[in-house]
Amino acid sequence: MKKIGAFVGKFLPPHIGHKSIVDKMLSECDEAVVVVSDNPEKSKQLCNIDNFPYFDSNHRLNWFKEFYKGNKKLHFAVIDESKIDKTANFMEEYSKLFFKSVPYKVNIKYADESYRELNEKYFPTCTFVPIDRDIINIHGTDIRKDYKKNKQFVLSSAKEDIEKEIKGENYGKI
């Protein structure tokens, strides 16, 4: 059976911590999928709070495509979480949307240990592989809150776009 892994995130913005997980997935799977899972309104709010430019999910996905161009094992997908009402059944509905939105037969899911129970319950056909988000101790929130201090952690394919937006929107000197 082919191992097809998936790594899901907002990737707001994508950084070297995300890259390390994608690289791990590529080394352990026959094929891999980076899935940008996003609720645009919530992401816009996060960016506004942090005074950071908003980029839609397709733009974020394109940064990964550019960074990993030529890698035939890596695929990409987008999930629009805004299609699901925030109810007690959110994860059940999310898992259905995941399999509709991701056109690959994913059987391995890479996620933070805190998501183990949800993954095992709502993705029973997928092996759960825990990741340590602190191996590379940077998070999207850190970058959004203080881009100048943390820009060295941003995926290289995203930096130019982010810096153009910051300069264009007068977010301050980079």
Side-chain angles (χ1 to χ4, degrees):
M1 176 195 240
K2 234 178 173 181
K3 292 181 179 179
I4 303 177
F7 176 43
V8 178
K10 286 189 301 289
F11 307 114
L12 195 57
H15 53 71
I16 62 171
H18 297 133
K19 177 194 173 301
S20 72
I21 296 160
V22 173
D23 291 347
K24 174 180 173 56
M25 188 170 57
L26 285 167
S27 74
E28 296 175 350
C29 297
D30 299 306
E31 293 184 65
V33 187
V34 172
V35 182
V36 177
S37 186
D38 193 39
N39 180 325
E41 289 309 310
K42 287 186 176 186
S43 292
K44 287 176 189 175
Q45 288 174 351
L46 286 174
C47 289
N48 285 336
I49 289 167
D50 296 334
N51 198 29
F52 189 82
Y54 170 76
F55 295 91
D56 70 30
S57 55
N58 286 316
H59 203 121
R60 287 176 261 153
L61 195 66
N62 285 334
W63 288 330
F64 277 105
K65 287 179 179 178
E66 173 64 23
F67 190 84
Y68 286 100
K69 68 181 169 200
N71 189 315
K72 303 284 188 226
K73 286 176 57 171
L74 191 58
H75 310 287
F76 308 92
V78 172
I79 297 174
D80 182 356
E81 293 177 23
S82 65
K83 294 180 179 181
I84 308 171
D85 291 329
K86 278 288 187 189
T87 66
N89 297 330
F90 178 81
M91 278 307 295
E92 184 177 340
E93 293 303 314
Y94 182 85
S95 67
K96 291 175 188 173
L97 184 59
F98 177 92
F99 287 110
K100 284 181 192 171
S101 302
V102 179
Y104 305 96
K105 298 205 180 286
V106 172
N107 53 21
I108 302 171
K109 288 213 46 236
Y110 288 74
D112 185 84
E113 182 66 42
S114 64
Y115 292 101
R116 178 185 291 274
E117 190 176 315
L118 292 171
N119 273 276
E120 289 176 347
K121 182 174 181 179
Y122 295 106
F123 296 88
T125 60
C126 295
T127 301
F128 177 77
V129 177
I131 57 172
D132 184 349
R133 291 183 67 206
D134 293 322
I135 286 178
I136 297 178
N137 195 16
I138 191 66
H139 304 284
T141 303
D142 302 327
I143 295 167
R144 288 190 312 271
K145 288 189 180 300
D146 193 346
Y147 180 78
K148 186 176 180 180
K149 176 183 172 189
N150 295 303
K151 67 181 176 179
Q152 74 270 17
F153 300 112
V154 174
L155 208 62
S156 60
S157 55
K159 281 183 184 177
E160 184 179 341
D161 289 344
I162 292 170
E163 292 184 11
K164 280 181 182 176
E165 277 298 309
I166 289 172
K167 285 178 183 175
E169 296 295 332
N170 297 315
Y171 283 90
K173 293 179 182 174
I174 294 177

